[in-house]
Amino acid sequence: IGESFGWQAVFFTSAALCFLFAAAWLCLGSSCPTQCSYISQEELSVLRDACILPAATTTKNVPRQQALGDILPPPEFFLHTSVGTLFLCHFAQNWQQYFNEWLPLFYNTRLGVPSDLAGFHIGAIALVELPARAATTGLPALLRHCGFSNLQCRKLMSLQGFTFHLMLCLSIAALLLHTGATALSFTVLLGLTKASQAFHAGGYYANYLDLSQNYSGILTGVGNTVATAAGVAFPRFASWSLEGSDG
């Protein structure tokens, strides 16, 4: 898209797809299966048999709308220490994630790798995320089996994610001081940093559901919005640090 229509077209295309997805979500999404206009009675029966829906639940006794006070949490809810800690963890992880957006510049300018080969390295880094998430999925259940509480599991999983990421970033910084370092060595370390983020799925990220059953959706939306601010702050920080390093 960028080569055919210019780099601006990449952003316009992404924005258009987001608007289309939002429109489809607003038209087709429902708060409850019983409020869905196109679900069949057979599907509802399956959900009731699986105890996902109460047996007596029907479209008649489920309210179509809720009062605003029932949807939005009280303001003091967001001032709780646990909520602030959750937002801070999410912001820190996004800060780490947005670092990867600068990898094409890193491979081209710092390592002198051609653009097509840099794309191969970056693609290899992105591919490790899904296997890493699959490998860490069962860790919380294993920890609970070993006697850890649910909160201890959350803390330990996120602690592993942030600690491994810190150690790997220090390794990358040390590798930058080595003049004979190859692009492959950086790709391996950056791939491991990407894989370390999989620990957060069973860590702090699951706390969005732990903290509140009634407001988990609102909490997740606000948390994602706060964490996305890292996408605004990090490029400015990176630009400032590059200008400083250039003198």
Side-chain angles (χ1 to χ4, degrees), residues 80-128:
H80 198 277
T81 305
S82 59
V83 175
T85 303
L86 179 60
F87 289 172
L88 179 61
C89 290
H90 201 167
F91 181 90
Q93 187 198 357
N94 274 23
W95 184 279
Q96 300 167 359
Q97 183 175 350
Y98 284 119
F99 171 78
N100 292 331
E101 301 296 330
W102 289 72
L103 289 181
L105 181 65
F106 172 75
Y107 275 97
N108 288 329
T109 60
R110 180 64 176 82
L111 302 180
V113 177
S115 298
D116 53 347
L117 188 57
F120 170 78
H121 286 279
I122 296 170
I125 294 171
L127 287 175
V128 304

Side-chain angles (χ1 to χ4, degrees), residues 172-197:
I172 294 172
L175 195 61
L176 285 169
L177 301 176
H178 191 271
T179 56
T182 63
L184 180 61
S185 59
F186 283 101
T187 300
V188 171
L189 289 177
L190 290 169
L192 291 174
T193 61
K194 187 76 170 178
S196 68
Q197 297 186 15

Side-chain angles (χ1 to χ4, degrees), residues 15 17 25 32 40 55 59 62 71 78 81 91 96 108 112 125 132-133 140 156-157 176 182-183 198 205 214 235 241:
L17 291 175
W25 183 267
C32 179
S40 65
T59 55
V62 175
I71 299 175
F78 294 103
T81 305
F91 181 90
Q96 300 167 359
N108 288 329
I125 294 171
R133 289 184 180 275
L156 186 57
M157 290 292 290
L176 285 169
T182 63
Y205 204 76
N214 297 328
S241 62

Side-chain angles (χ1 to χ4, degrees), residues 7 16 21 28 30 37 48 69 100 113 140 145 152 156 160 164-165 172 188 236:
W7 64 268
F21 177 80
L28 302 177
S30 301
S37 60
R48 294 191 185 100
N100 292 331
V113 177
H145 181 73
Q152 289 173 332
L156 186 57
Q160 290 181 92
F164 289 150
H165 195 278
I172 294 172
V188 171
R236 294 181 179 275

Side-chain angles (χ1 to χ4, degrees), residues 198-219:
F199 286 98
H200 296 304
Y204 83 86
Y205 204 76
N207 283 134
Y208 281 111
L209 299 177
D210 296 335
L211 289 180
S212 174
Q213 181 178 3
N214 297 328
Y215 305 122
S216 59
I218 295 294
L219 183 64

